[in-house]
Amino acid sequence: MLVMGAACVWPAAAPPAILFENVIEKSGIRFAMHNSATPQRHQVETMIAGVAVLDYNNDGLLDIYCVNGAQLPAMEKTGPQYYNRLYRNNGDGTFTDVTEKAGVQGRGYSMGVAVGDYDNDGCVDIYVAGVNYNQLFHNNCDGTFTDVTARAGVAGVHPKLGKTWAISAGWFDYDNDGLLDLMVVNYVKWDLATEPPCITAGVRAYCSPPVAGGDRHGHRSSGRVRAGASAGGTVTWSARGGSGNVRDGHSGDYFVGGAGQLVGGAPGGGNRSGDGAAGGVR
């Protein structure tokens, strides 16, 4: 028996429209970014702020961390309106502000944030890049964080320039040792106390970067610093702030986790070298 049939061809349906709904009011997120805008038009006022999405408490739901500014000219978070904020996902479309419970309010004029589990304990840690403070918050895996910036050596303080103005950061394993390393991107050499006024048509205006104070390409260094032992989840600053001439005009700091080594150099430029288990950039 031979059975023959004909295939029915239906016209292709139009793809469904992708629609978004603004649910900020329902969500319970009440974050407001405060850049402390002033009539003096300080350069930092134009730059903020960053945000990270992470599952900080390992409940399978993405939480939100927002960074914030500071009061000017103090450059400090003098009140709760300047706190960085951590919002825990409740799983029902709403979020709860757990900033103070978690201990991640932050210090100074914050700019950017990068999240990653740098010590491989299964809990995501937070690194905040800022103008006058960089901070590394270690996740204690119990809903709280501890500031380990000084112990980890990632404060972003240059031996000659002091604290460099950091605007962003990123975690990555540059030497494939299974430990997340950290790169911090710096902006310009800037000081609120010495920032020059910029006038346009008789009106105070924001300065462009060259006028605002600095060498956007940073400074090279020939020194080298070895990283700390990886057993303690240590991240060690191994290139001085503003090392190298990066193609986008920003300089970078290198921090390496575990038994690595970085020497001067710049991302996208410079020769890579190694000494046994330790990787390096020269």
Side-chain angles (χ1 to χ4, degrees), residues 178-231:
L179 298 168
L180 287 180
D181 310 302
L182 177 65
M183 180 173 176
V184 178
V185 178
N186 296 318
Y187 190 44
V188 297
K189 180 181 176 182
W190 178 87
D191 189 320
L192 186 144
T194 59
E195 180 184 47
C198 291
I199 309 297
T200 301
V203 178
R204 183 70 179 258
Y206 291 106
C207 296
S208 62
V211 177
D215 172 13
R216 290 202 298 163
H217 299 287
H219 301 267
R220 297 186 70 91
S221 174
S222 59
R224 71 176 65 189
V225 179
R226 286 193 176 274
S230 60

mmCIF file of all heavy atoms in Angstrom, residues 178-231:
data_model
loop_
_atom_site.group_PDB
_atom_site.id
_atom_site.type_symbol
_atom_site.label_atom_id
_atom_site.label_comp_id
_atom_site.label_asym_id
_atom_site.label_seq_id
_atom_site.Cartn_x
_atom_site.Cartn_y
_atom_site.Cartn_z
ATOM 1 N N GLY A 178 43.470 29.394 38.306
ATOM 2 C CA GLY A 178 42.249 29.068 39.017
ATOM 3 C C GLY A 178 41.835 30.095 40.047
ATOM 4 O O GLY A 178 40.857 29.889 40.767
ATOM 5 N N LEU A 179 42.565 31.218 40.123
ATOM 6 C CA LEU A 179 42.256 32.287 41.073
ATOM 7 C C LEU A 179 41.938 33.562 40.314
ATOM 8 O O LEU A 179 42.637 33.922 39.363
ATOM 9 C CB LEU A 179 43.454 32.532 42.005
ATOM 10 C CG LEU A 179 43.866 31.359 42.884
ATOM 11 C CD1 LEU A 179 45.216 31.629 43.528
ATOM 12 C CD2 LEU A 179 42.810 31.084 43.938
ATOM 13 N N LEU A 180 40.891 34.246 40.725
ATOM 14 C CA LEU A 180 40.514 35.488 40.054
ATOM 15 C C LEU A 180 41.496 36.601 40.399
ATOM 16 O O LEU A 180 41.809 36.837 41.558
ATOM 17 C CB LEU A 180 39.099 35.905 40.468
ATOM 18 C CG LEU A 180 37.948 35.093 39.891
ATOM 19 C CD1 LEU A 180 36.622 35.642 40.402
ATOM 20 C CD2 LEU A 180 37.981 35.117 38.367
ATOM 21 N N ASP A 181 41.988 37.264 39.362
ATOM 22 C CA ASP A 181 42.856 38.429 39.509
ATOM 23 C C ASP A 181 42.010 39.675 39.261
ATOM 24 O O ASP A 181 40.892 39.598 38.748
ATOM 25 C CB ASP A 181 44.022 38.337 38.525
ATOM 26 C CG ASP A 181 44.704 36.970 38.596
ATOM 27 O OD1 ASP A 181 45.163 36.623 39.686
ATOM 28 O OD2 ASP A 181 44.742 36.252 37.581
ATOM 29 N N LEU A 182 42.554 40.809 39.607
ATOM 30 C CA LEU A 182 41.775 42.038 39.574
ATOM 31 C C LEU A 182 42.485 43.106 38.777
ATOM 32 O O LEU A 182 43.674 43.347 38.967
ATOM 33 C CB LEU A 182 41.539 42.534 41.011
ATOM 34 C CG LEU A 182 40.802 43.860 41.205
ATOM 35 C CD1 LEU A 182 39.365 43.757 40.698
ATOM 36 C CD2 LEU A 182 40.821 44.252 42.677
ATOM 37 N N MET A 183 41.761 43.747 37.857
ATOM 38 C CA MET A 183 42.286 44.919 37.166
ATOM 39 C C MET A 183 41.409 46.117 37.501
ATOM 40 O O MET A 183 40.185 46.039 37.423
ATOM 41 C CB MET A 183 42.326 44.734 35.656
ATOM 42 C CG MET A 183 42.871 45.978 34.970
ATOM 43 S SD MET A 183 43.154 45.795 33.211
ATOM 44 C CE MET A 183 43.653 47.474 32.818
ATOM 45 N N VAL A 184 42.054 47.197 37.889
ATOM 46 C CA VAL A 184 41.364 48.433 38.232
ATOM 47 C C VAL A 184 41.747 49.502 37.214
ATOM 48 O O VAL A 184 42.928 49.690 36.922
ATOM 49 C CB VAL A 184 41.730 48.893 39.652
ATOM 50 C CG1 VAL A 184 41.049 50.211 39.984
ATOM 51 C CG2 VAL A 184 41.346 47.834 40.668
ATOM 52 N N VAL A 185 40.750 50.186 36.660
ATOM 53 C CA VAL A 185 40.993 51.223 35.659
ATOM 54 C C VAL A 185 40.928 52.593 36.329
ATOM 55 O O VAL A 185 39.968 52.913 37.030
ATOM 56 C CB VAL A 185 39.951 51.146 34.528
ATOM 57 C CG1 VAL A 185 40.167 52.265 33.513
ATOM 58 C CG2 VAL A 185 40.029 49.795 33.835
ATOM 59 N N ASN A 186 41.983 53.380 36.134
ATOM 60 C CA ASN A 186 42.058 54.723 36.692
ATOM 61 C C ASN A 186 41.735 55.767 35.632
ATOM 62 O O ASN A 186 41.843 55.508 34.431
ATOM 63 C CB ASN A 186 43.451 54.985 37.257
ATOM 64 C CG ASN A 186 43.765 54.073 38.426
ATOM 65 O OD1 ASN A 186 42.925 53.843 39.282
ATOM 66 N ND2 ASN A 186 44.965 53.532 38.442
ATOM 67 N N TYR A 187 41.393 56.966 36.097
ATOM 68 C CA TYR A 187 41.005 58.041 35.185
ATOM 69 C C TYR A 187 42.129 59.076 35.096
ATOM 70 O O TYR A 187 43.168 58.814 34.516
ATOM 71 C CB TYR A 187 39.685 58.647 35.664
ATOM 72 C CG TYR A 187 39.030 59.614 34.699
ATOM 73 C CD1 TYR A 187 38.950 59.335 33.340
ATOM 74 C CD2 TYR A 187 38.465 60.789 35.170
ATOM 75 C CE1 TYR A 187 38.336 60.210 32.464
ATOM 76 C CE2 TYR A 187 37.837 61.666 34.295
ATOM 77 C CZ TYR A 187 37.779 61.376 32.949
ATOM 78 O OH TYR A 187 37.162 62.257 32.097
ATOM 79 N N VAL A 188 41.949 60.228 35.719
ATOM 80 C CA VAL A 188 42.956 61.279 35.637
ATOM 81 C C VAL A 188 43.568 61.549 37.002
ATOM 82 O O VAL A 188 43.033 61.159 38.034
ATOM 83 C CB VAL A 188 42.346 62.607 35.111
ATOM 84 C CG1 VAL A 188 41.831 62.445 33.712
ATOM 85 C CG2 VAL A 188 41.243 63.095 36.044
ATOM 86 N N LYS A 189 44.695 62.244 37.001
ATOM 87 C CA LYS A 189 45.281 62.731 38.245
ATOM 88 C C LYS A 189 44.480 63.970 38.654
ATOM 89 O O LYS A 189 44.450 64.965 37.936
ATOM 90 C CB LYS A 189 46.753 63.083 38.019
ATOM 91 C CG LYS A 189 47.459 63.603 39.267
ATOM 92 C CD LYS A 189 48.903 63.942 38.933
ATOM 93 C CE LYS A 189 49.603 64.551 40.142
ATOM 94 N NZ LYS A 189 51.001 64.936 39.813
ATOM 95 N N TRP A 190 43.835 63.903 39.813
ATOM 96 C CA TRP A 190 42.871 64.944 40.178
ATOM 97 C C TRP A 190 42.873 65.167 41.675
ATOM 98 O O TRP A 190 43.044 64.222 42.462
ATOM 99 C CB TRP A 190 41.479 64.524 39.713
ATOM 100 C CG TRP A 190 40.369 65.477 40.064
ATOM 101 C CD1 TRP A 190 39.947 66.555 39.354
ATOM 102 C CD2 TRP A 190 39.525 65.419 41.223
ATOM 103 N NE1 TRP A 190 38.896 67.178 39.994
ATOM 104 C CE2 TRP A 190 38.623 66.498 41.146
ATOM 105 C CE3 TRP A 190 39.458 64.563 42.324
ATOM 106 C CZ2 TRP A 190 37.653 66.735 42.118
ATOM 107 C CZ3 TRP A 190 38.499 64.806 43.300
ATOM 108 C CH2 TRP A 190 37.604 65.878 43.188
ATOM 109 N N ASP A 191 42.695 66.406 42.078
ATOM 110 C CA ASP A 191 42.593 66.758 43.493
ATOM 111 C C ASP A 191 41.575 67.881 43.617
ATOM 112 O O ASP A 191 41.709 68.917 42.950
ATOM 113 C CB ASP A 191 43.954 67.206 44.031
ATOM 114 C CG ASP A 191 43.959 67.364 45.545
ATOM 115 O OD1 ASP A 191 42.960 67.872 46.099
ATOM 116 O OD2 ASP A 191 44.954 66.983 46.180
ATOM 117 N N LEU A 192 40.562 67.677 44.444
ATOM 118 C CA LEU A 192 39.521 68.683 44.600
ATOM 119 C C LEU A 192 40.097 70.020 45.055
ATOM 120 O O LEU A 192 39.641 71.091 44.643
ATOM 121 C CB LEU A 192 38.462 68.180 45.581
ATOM 122 C CG LEU A 192 37.217 69.051 45.765
ATOM 123 C CD1 LEU A 192 35.986 68.181 45.960
ATOM 124 C CD2 LEU A 192 37.378 69.996 46.953
ATOM 125 N N ALA A 193 41.139 69.972 45.891
ATOM 126 C CA ALA A 193 41.716 71.200 46.442
ATOM 127 C C ALA A 193 42.454 72.029 45.398
ATOM 128 O O ALA A 193 42.572 73.250 45.531
ATOM 129 C CB ALA A 193 42.657 70.857 47.593
ATOM 130 N N THR A 194 42.957 71.367 44.346
ATOM 131 C CA THR A 194 43.745 72.078 43.336
ATOM 132 C C THR A 194 43.082 72.094 41.968
ATOM 133 O O THR A 194 43.689 72.521 40.992
ATOM 134 C CB THR A 194 45.138 71.443 43.209
ATOM 135 O OG1 THR A 194 44.991 70.051 42.845
ATOM 136 C CG2 THR A 194 45.896 71.535 44.523
ATOM 137 N N GLU A 195 41.855 71.607 41.886
ATOM 138 C CA GLU A 195 41.136 71.573 40.612
ATOM 139 C C GLU A 195 40.943 72.996 40.080
ATOM 140 O O GLU A 195 40.421 73.863 40.786
ATOM 141 C CB GLU A 195 39.774 70.912 40.821
ATOM 142 C CG GLU A 195 38.932 70.818 39.573
ATOM 143 C CD GLU A 195 37.561 70.243 39.888
ATOM 144 O OE1 GLU A 195 36.939 70.701 40.862
ATOM 145 O OE2 GLU A 195 37.115 69.349 39.161
ATOM 146 N N PRO A 196 41.358 73.278 38.840
ATOM 147 C CA PRO A 196 41.219 74.634 38.304
ATOM 148 C C PRO A 196 39.783 74.943 37.904
ATOM 149 O O PRO A 196 39.033 74.032 37.519
ATOM 150 C CB PRO A 196 42.123 74.606 37.069
ATOM 151 C CG PRO A 196 42.071 73.185 36.613
ATOM 152 C CD PRO A 196 42.007 72.358 37.882
ATOM 153 N N PRO A 197 39.364 76.177 38.007
ATOM 154 C CA PRO A 197 38.018 76.542 37.533
ATOM 155 C C PRO A 197 37.997 76.591 36.012
ATOM 156 O O PRO A 197 38.969 77.009 35.378
ATOM 157 C CB PRO A 197 37.794 77.926 38.137
ATOM 158 C CG PRO A 197 39.175 78.490 38.288
ATOM 159 C CD PRO A 197 40.062 77.322 38.615
ATOM 160 N N CYS A 198 36.899 76.167 35.424
ATOM 161 C CA CYS A 198 36.739 76.230 33.973
ATOM 162 C C CYS A 198 35.517 77.097 33.670
ATOM 163 O O CYS A 198 34.426 76.829 34.170
ATOM 164 C CB CYS A 198 36.568 74.831 33.383
ATOM 165 S SG CYS A 198 38.070 73.833 33.478
ATOM 166 N N ILE A 199 35.726 78.109 32.854
ATOM 167 C CA ILE A 199 34.675 79.071 32.540
ATOM 168 C C ILE A 199 34.353 79.006 31.051
ATOM 169 O O ILE A 199 35.247 79.060 30.210
ATOM 170 C CB ILE A 199 35.089 80.505 32.909
ATOM 171 C CG1 ILE A 199 35.600 80.559 34.368
ATOM 172 C CG2 ILE A 199 33.943 81.466 32.697
ATOM 173 C CD1 ILE A 199 34.542 80.182 35.388
ATOM 174 N N THR A 200 33.071 78.870 30.727
ATOM 175 C CA THR A 200 32.615 78.881 29.339
ATOM 176 C C THR A 200 31.571 79.975 29.184
ATOM 177 O O THR A 200 30.528 79.937 29.842
ATOM 178 C CB THR A 200 32.005 77.523 28.942
ATOM 179 O OG1 THR A 200 32.997 76.500 29.109
ATOM 180 C CG2 THR A 200 31.546 77.540 27.505
ATOM 181 N N ALA A 201 31.876 80.961 28.333
ATOM 182 C CA ALA A 201 30.962 82.095 28.111
ATOM 183 C C ALA A 201 30.566 82.756 29.433
ATOM 184 O O ALA A 201 29.413 83.118 29.637
ATOM 185 C CB ALA A 201 29.729 81.639 27.344
ATOM 186 N N GLY A 202 31.552 82.849 30.305
ATOM 187 C CA GLY A 202 31.306 83.513 31.571
ATOM 188 C C GLY A 202 30.599 82.678 32.617
ATOM 189 O O GLY A 202 30.259 83.176 33.694
ATOM 190 N N VAL A 203 30.369 81.389 32.322
ATOM 191 C CA VAL A 203 29.657 80.510 33.240
ATOM 192 C C VAL A 203 30.579 79.385 33.698
ATOM 193 O O VAL A 203 31.307 78.799 32.888
ATOM 194 C CB VAL A 203 28.408 79.906 32.561
ATOM 195 C CG1 VAL A 203 27.696 78.944 33.503
ATOM 196 C CG2 VAL A 203 27.467 81.009 32.111
ATOM 197 N N ARG A 204 30.561 79.082 34.980
ATOM 198 C CA ARG A 204 31.364 77.988 35.507
ATOM 199 C C ARG A 204 30.901 76.678 34.875
ATOM 200 O O ARG A 204 29.707 76.371 34.849
ATOM 201 C CB ARG A 204 31.223 77.914 37.032
ATOM 202 C CG ARG A 204 32.085 76.844 37.716
ATOM 203 C CD ARG A 204 33.568 77.195 37.669
ATOM 204 N NE ARG A 204 34.362 76.177 38.346
ATOM 205 C CZ ARG A 204 34.865 76.313 39.576
ATOM 206 N NH1 ARG A 204 34.627 77.422 40.266
ATOM 207 N NH2 ARG A 204 35.606 75.377 40.109
ATOM 208 N N ALA A 205 31.852 75.899 34.353
ATOM 209 C CA ALA A 205 31.525 74.661 33.655
ATOM 210 C C ALA A 205 32.411 73.529 34.150
ATOM 211 O O ALA A 205 33.384 73.757 34.885
ATOM 212 C CB ALA A 205 31.695 74.857 32.149
ATOM 213 N N TYR A 206 32.078 72.307 33.748
ATOM 214 C CA TYR A 206 32.916 71.163 34.090
ATOM 215 C C TYR A 206 34.136 71.154 33.185
ATOM 216 O O TYR A 206 34.026 71.359 31.981
ATOM 217 C CB TYR A 206 32.139 69.858 33.935
ATOM 218 C CG TYR A 206 31.050 69.691 34.970
ATOM 219 C CD1 TYR A 206 29.711 69.857 34.623
ATOM 220 C CD2 TYR A 206 31.362 69.367 36.290
ATOM 221 C CE1 TYR A 206 28.710 69.706 35.568
ATOM 222 C CE2 TYR A 206 30.364 69.223 37.239
ATOM 223 C CZ TYR A 206 29.041 69.392 36.879
ATOM 224 O OH TYR A 206 28.052 69.246 37.820
ATOM 225 N N CYS A 207 35.288 70.897 33.770
ATOM 226 C CA CYS A 207 36.528 70.870 32.995
ATOM 227 C C CYS A 207 36.629 69.584 32.189
ATOM 228 O O CYS A 207 36.145 68.528 32.613
ATOM 229 C CB CYS A 207 37.732 70.966 33.923
ATOM 230 S SG CYS A 207 37.864 72.507 34.841
ATOM 231 N N SER A 208 37.283 69.649 31.052
ATOM 232 C CA SER A 208 37.609 68.448 30.307
ATOM 233 C C SER A 208 38.796 67.789 31.002
ATOM 234 O O SER A 208 39.534 68.443 31.742
ATOM 235 C CB SER A 208 37.963 68.796 28.859
ATOM 236 O OG SER A 208 39.108 69.627 28.828
ATOM 237 N N PRO A 209 39.016 66.485 30.802
ATOM 238 C CA PRO A 209 40.074 65.784 31.540
ATOM 239 C C PRO A 209 41.461 66.414 31.505
ATOM 240 O O PRO A 209 42.093 66.526 32.544
ATOM 241 C CB PRO A 209 40.058 64.387 30.897
ATOM 242 C CG PRO A 209 38.647 64.215 30.490
ATOM 243 C CD PRO A 209 38.204 65.578 30.004
ATOM 244 N N PRO A 210 41.992 66.857 30.350
ATOM 245 C CA PRO A 210 43.335 67.445 30.383
ATOM 246 C C PRO A 210 43.424 68.674 31.285
ATOM 247 O O PRO A 210 44.413 68.890 31.961
ATOM 248 C CB PRO A 210 43.603 67.807 28.916
ATOM 249 C CG PRO A 210 42.708 66.899 28.146
ATOM 250 C CD PRO A 210 41.475 66.758 28.980
ATOM 251 N N VAL A 211 42.375 69.467 31.316
ATOM 252 C CA VAL A 211 42.379 70.657 32.155
ATOM 253 C C VAL A 211 42.179 70.284 33.617
ATOM 254 O O VAL A 211 42.738 70.899 34.514
ATOM 255 C CB VAL A 211 41.273 71.641 31.713
ATOM 256 C CG1 VAL A 211 41.217 72.850 32.631
ATOM 257 C CG2 VAL A 211 41.520 72.082 30.277
ATOM 258 N N ALA A 212 41.405 69.225 33.836
ATOM 259 C CA ALA A 212 41.068 68.838 35.198
ATOM 260 C C ALA A 212 42.268 68.338 35.971
ATOM 261 O O ALA A 212 42.237 68.244 37.177
ATOM 262 C CB ALA A 212 39.994 67.765 35.174
ATOM 263 N N GLY A 213 43.312 67.979 35.304
ATOM 264 C CA GLY A 213 44.473 67.699 36.104
ATOM 265 C C GLY A 213 45.260 66.492 35.743
ATOM 266 O O GLY A 213 45.703 65.803 36.617
ATOM 267 N N GLY A 214 45.456 66.182 34.554
ATOM 268 C CA GLY A 214 46.412 65.123 34.595
ATOM 269 C C GLY A 214 46.761 64.406 33.346
ATOM 270 O O GLY A 214 46.289 64.645 32.274
ATOM 271 N N ASP A 215 47.637 63.472 33.622
ATOM 272 C CA ASP A 215 48.139 62.560 32.625
ATOM 273 C C ASP A 215 47.180 61.379 32.592
ATOM 274 O O ASP A 215 47.194 60.531 33.474
ATOM 275 C CB ASP A 215 49.534 62.124 33.052
ATOM 276 C CG ASP A 215 50.089 61.027 32.197
ATOM 277 O OD1 ASP A 215 49.500 60.774 31.140
ATOM 278 O OD2 ASP A 215 51.104 60.438 32.576
ATOM 279 N N ARG A 216 46.339 61.301 31.580
ATOM 280 C CA ARG A 216 45.364 60.221 31.515
ATOM 281 C C ARG A 216 46.030 58.886 31.215
ATOM 282 O O ARG A 216 45.418 57.856 31.336
ATOM 283 C CB ARG A 216 44.310 60.519 30.452
ATOM 284 C CG ARG A 216 43.397 61.646 30.826
ATOM 285 C CD ARG A 216 42.114 61.563 30.052
ATOM 286 N NE ARG A 216 42.324 61.679 28.629
ATOM 287 C CZ ARG A 216 41.433 61.333 27.718
ATOM 288 N NH1 ARG A 216 40.295 60.822 28.079
ATOM 289 N NH2 ARG A 216 41.681 61.498 26.439
ATOM 290 N N HIS A 217 47.294 58.910 30.796
ATOM 291 C CA HIS A 217 47.960 57.669 30.446
ATOM 292 C C HIS A 217 48.735 57.082 31.611
ATOM 293 O O HIS A 217 49.359 56.053 31.470
ATOM 294 C CB HIS A 217 48.917 57.895 29.271
ATOM 295 C CG HIS A 217 48.205 58.371 28.046
ATOM 296 N ND1 HIS A 217 47.417 57.543 27.293
ATOM 297 C CD2 HIS A 217 48.139 59.591 27.459
ATOM 298 C CE1 HIS A 217 46.909 58.222 26.274
ATOM 299 N NE2 HIS A 217 47.329 59.459 26.364
ATOM 300 N N GLY A 218 48.711 57.739 32.754
ATOM 301 C CA GLY A 218 49.307 57.170 33.950
ATOM 302 C C GLY A 218 50.823 57.187 33.937
ATOM 303 O O GLY A 218 51.459 57.952 33.225
ATOM 304 N N HIS A 219 51.403 56.308 34.734
ATOM 305 C CA HIS A 219 52.846 56.289 34.929
ATOM 306 C C HIS A 219 53.330 54.853 34.976
ATOM 307 O O HIS A 219 52.741 54.011 35.642
ATOM 308 C CB HIS A 219 53.208 56.998 36.240
ATOM 309 C CG HIS A 219 52.744 58.418 36.282
ATOM 310 N ND1 HIS A 219 53.529 59.469 35.895
ATOM 311 C CD2 HIS A 219 51.545 58.956 36.631
ATOM 312 C CE1 HIS A 219 52.851 60.600 36.022
ATOM 313 N NE2 HIS A 219 51.638 60.307 36.467
ATOM 314 N N ARG A 220 54.428 54.605 34.292
ATOM 315 C CA ARG A 220 55.005 53.267 34.282
ATOM 316 C C ARG A 220 55.905 53.102 35.487
ATOM 317 O O ARG A 220 56.454 54.042 36.016
ATOM 318 C CB ARG A 220 55.804 53.025 33.005
ATOM 319 C CG ARG A 220 54.978 53.067 31.739
ATOM 320 C CD ARG A 220 55.812 52.667 30.548
ATOM 321 N NE ARG A 220 56.138 51.253 30.579
ATOM 322 C CZ ARG A 220 55.396 50.322 30.008
ATOM 323 N NH1 ARG A 220 54.288 50.650 29.380
ATOM 324 N NH2 ARG A 220 55.752 49.060 30.067
ATOM 325 N N SER A 221 56.085 51.851 35.904
ATOM 326 C CA SER A 221 56.967 51.555 37.018
ATOM 327 C C SER A 221 57.751 50.305 36.704
ATOM 328 O O SER A 221 57.239 49.373 36.108
ATOM 329 C CB SER A 221 56.164 51.357 38.305
ATOM 330 O OG SER A 221 57.005 50.938 39.357
ATOM 331 N N SER A 222 59.004 50.285 37.116
ATOM 332 C CA SER A 222 59.834 49.126 36.801
ATOM 333 C C SER A 222 59.939 48.178 37.987
ATOM 334 O O SER A 222 60.597 47.147 37.910
ATOM 335 C CB SER A 222 61.248 49.592 36.420
ATOM 336 O OG SER A 222 61.820 50.323 37.498
ATOM 337 N N GLY A 223 59.306 48.513 39.114
ATOM 338 C CA GLY A 223 59.373 47.644 40.280
ATOM 339 C C GLY A 223 58.509 46.421 40.126
ATOM 340 O O GLY A 223 57.660 46.347 39.253
ATOM 341 N N ARG A 224 58.707 45.471 41.001
ATOM 342 C CA ARG A 224 57.865 44.279 40.968
ATOM 343 C C ARG A 224 57.552 43.848 42.395
ATOM 344 O O ARG A 224 58.351 43.980 43.295
ATOM 345 C CB ARG A 224 58.501 43.144 40.171
ATOM 346 C CG ARG A 224 59.686 42.476 40.797
ATOM 347 C CD ARG A 224 60.160 41.313 39.948
ATOM 348 N NE ARG A 224 60.660 41.759 38.660
ATOM 349 C CZ ARG A 224 60.978 40.924 37.676
ATOM 350 N NH1 ARG A 224 60.826 39.638 37.835
ATOM 351 N NH2 ARG A 224 61.428 41.373 36.538
ATOM 352 N N VAL A 225 56.346 43.359 42.565
ATOM 353 C CA VAL A 225 55.892 42.897 43.862
ATOM 354 C C VAL A 225 55.269 41.535 43.678
ATOM 355 O O VAL A 225 54.477 41.327 42.763
ATOM 356 C CB VAL A 225 54.832 43.867 44.459
ATOM 357 C CG1 VAL A 225 54.354 43.343 45.802
ATOM 358 C CG2 VAL A 225 55.415 45.254 44.604
ATOM 359 N N ARG A 226 55.622 40.603 44.530
ATOM 360 C CA ARG A 226 55.065 39.257 44.406
ATOM 361 C C ARG A 226 53.729 39.170 45.124
ATOM 362 O O ARG A 226 53.481 39.864 46.100
ATOM 363 C CB ARG A 226 56.022 38.211 44.982
ATOM 364 C CG ARG A 226 57.203 37.975 44.071
ATOM 365 C CD ARG A 226 57.958 36.725 44.486
ATOM 366 N NE ARG A 226 59.035 36.458 43.549
ATOM 367 C CZ ARG A 226 58.889 35.780 42.428
ATOM 368 N NH1 ARG A 226 57.707 35.317 42.089
ATOM 369 N NH2 ARG A 226 59.895 35.575 41.626
ATOM 370 N N ALA A 227 52.912 38.278 44.625
ATOM 371 C CA ALA A 227 51.594 38.099 45.233
ATOM 372 C C ALA A 227 51.704 37.272 46.497
ATOM 373 O O ALA A 227 52.668 36.544 46.711
ATOM 374 C CB ALA A 227 50.660 37.399 44.252
ATOM 375 N N GLY A 228 50.704 37.393 47.357
ATOM 376 C CA GLY A 228 50.665 36.609 48.581
ATOM 377 C C GLY A 228 50.201 35.187 48.319
ATOM 378 O O GLY A 228 49.806 34.835 47.215
ATOM 379 N N ALA A 229 50.245 34.384 49.352
ATOM 380 C CA ALA A 229 49.832 32.993 49.216
ATOM 381 C C ALA A 229 48.345 32.908 48.931
ATOM 382 O O ALA A 229 47.561 33.678 49.460
ATOM 383 C CB ALA A 229 50.164 32.242 50.495
ATOM 384 N N SER A 230 47.987 31.951 48.099
ATOM 385 C CA SER A 230 46.593 31.845 47.708
ATOM 386 C C SER A 230 45.737 31.179 48.776
ATOM 387 O O SER A 230 44.533 31.285 48.757
ATOM 388 C CB SER A 230 46.478 31.047 46.404
ATOM 389 O OG SER A 230 47.014 29.750 46.580
ATOM 390 N N ALA A 231 46.362 30.495 49.711
ATOM 391 C CA ALA A 231 45.594 29.748 50.697
ATOM 392 C C ALA A 231 44.672 30.645 51.503
ATOM 393 O O ALA A 231 43.588 30.245 51.907
ATOM 394 C CB ALA A 231 46.546 29.003 51.642
#
